[in-house]
Amino acid sequence: MTATHPTHGAHAPSAKREWAGGLTVFAAVTLMLVGVLDIFRGIMGIAEDDVFVTTQNYVFKFDLTAWGWTHLVLGAIAVLVGMGLGRGALWARVSGVVIAGLVVIANFLSLPYYPVWSVVMIAFSGFVIWALCVGGRSRT
């Protein structure tokens, strides 16, 4: 009796495609989560400035209401780009890396106002950038 077994190479392209598709879904969901959380942070900054603790001697001093609007806009764009990633759009992959990078910068600059939240958002955005850069194109 002879048995035919597929070679390892025959499954590689399919497995790579599934891996890339999984990373794209991960990036889309994570970017939408980052966007929603950034929207909430923006609303907090606009509506209630006294929620945030301010540091007196920080190099980057900004108006908290302006930071609220910045986070609100970045969050809304991140949600839209995340939805585009869910549809497999190439523009969304490129925009996702850019938006996640801007979210990292915005959260770095607002570290003294909400430090733990900023670090968490930087980590989430870093995972989005990683997933979008490593995943490749999920659809052809």
Side-chain angles (χ1 to χ4, degrees), residues 7-106:
T7 61
H8 185 275
H11 290 297
S14 176
K16 284 183 182 180
R17 238 183 323 222
E18 289 179 18
W19 175 253
L23 283 177
T24 302
V25 170
F26 170 79
V29 170
T30 306
L31 189 60
M32 284 191 285
L33 177 65
V34 164
V36 168
L37 293 174
D38 229 11
I39 288 171
F40 289 148
R41 184 176 183 175
I43 291 170
M44 287 174 17
I46 294 167
E48 296 289 329
D49 282 354
D50 57 352
V51 172
F52 298 96
V53 177
T54 58
T55 304
Q56 297 298 324
N57 297 323
Y58 190 62
V59 175
F60 305 109
K61 290 185 182 180
F62 299 103
D63 178 40
L64 289 175
T65 304
W67 269 121
W69 281 106
T70 302
H71 285 286
L72 183 69
V73 169
L74 280 175
I77 294 171
V79 169
L80 293 174
V81 171
M83 290 192 303
L85 279 172
R87 303 192 73 189
L90 180 61
W91 66 265
R93 178 174 296 282
V94 174
S95 299
V97 172
V98 171
I99 291 300
L102 290 174
V103 169
V104 167
I105 292 169

Side-chain angles (χ1 to χ4, degrees), residues 1-5:
M1 257 167 65
T2 60
T4 39
H5 298 286

